[in-house]
Amino acid sequence: MIFLKAFVVGGLICVIGQLLIDFTKLTPARILVSFVCIGVLLGAIGVYQPLIEFAGAGATVPLTGFGASLANGVKEAVQKDGFLGVISGGLQACAAGVTVAILSALAVALVCRPKDK
């Protein structure tokens, strides 16, 4: 049942993204940034955490989950370190994910050769 919940919630988030690509003039980059910002907003007001508890990876893997992680990191760091936590909290909460993304991109860039169009 856990996998079904994750599949449905993650799939719905992806369907929203695909609908935005198909029926709006928004570029994919703007849609991705919008998803992160929406995740930050929903995480900041506490709406996204119940979705994470319900769907698990279906809510944490999409970019909205990244935004919610940033918001939660900032909340915790502000409680611990005060105003300085606004700057450091999001970075500390998501450092591992960002590092993996950068190293994966580097590995792909070293292995693959781009072709001219």
Side-chain angles (χ1 to χ4, degrees), residues 63-101:
L63 282 174
T64 50
F66 177 70
S69 294
L70 287 171
N72 287 336
V74 169
K75 278 185 195 177
E76 292 173 7
V78 166
Q79 290 174 351
K80 180 181 171 191
D81 301 329
F83 186 72
L84 187 60
V86 171
I87 298 168
S88 64
L91 296 174
Q92 289 174 352
C94 298
V98 171
T99 302
V100 169

Side-chain angles (χ1 to χ4, degrees), residues 112-117:
C112 299
R113 298 286 177 232
K115 296 179 182 178
D116 292 333
K117 289 185 177 182

Side-chain angles (χ1 to χ4, degrees), residues 1-36:
M1 194 63 175
I2 295 170
F3 297 115
L4 181 62
K5 290 177 185 178
F7 178 77
V8 169
V9 171
L12 286 174
I13 293 170
C14 293
V15 164
I16 292 167
Q18 189 63 49
L19 290 173
L20 289 171
I21 289 171
D22 290 344
F23 297 113
T24 68
K25 292 185 180 185
L26 293 171
T27 63
R30 288 183 182 193
I31 293 169
L32 295 175
V33 170
S34 298
F35 273 25
V36 173

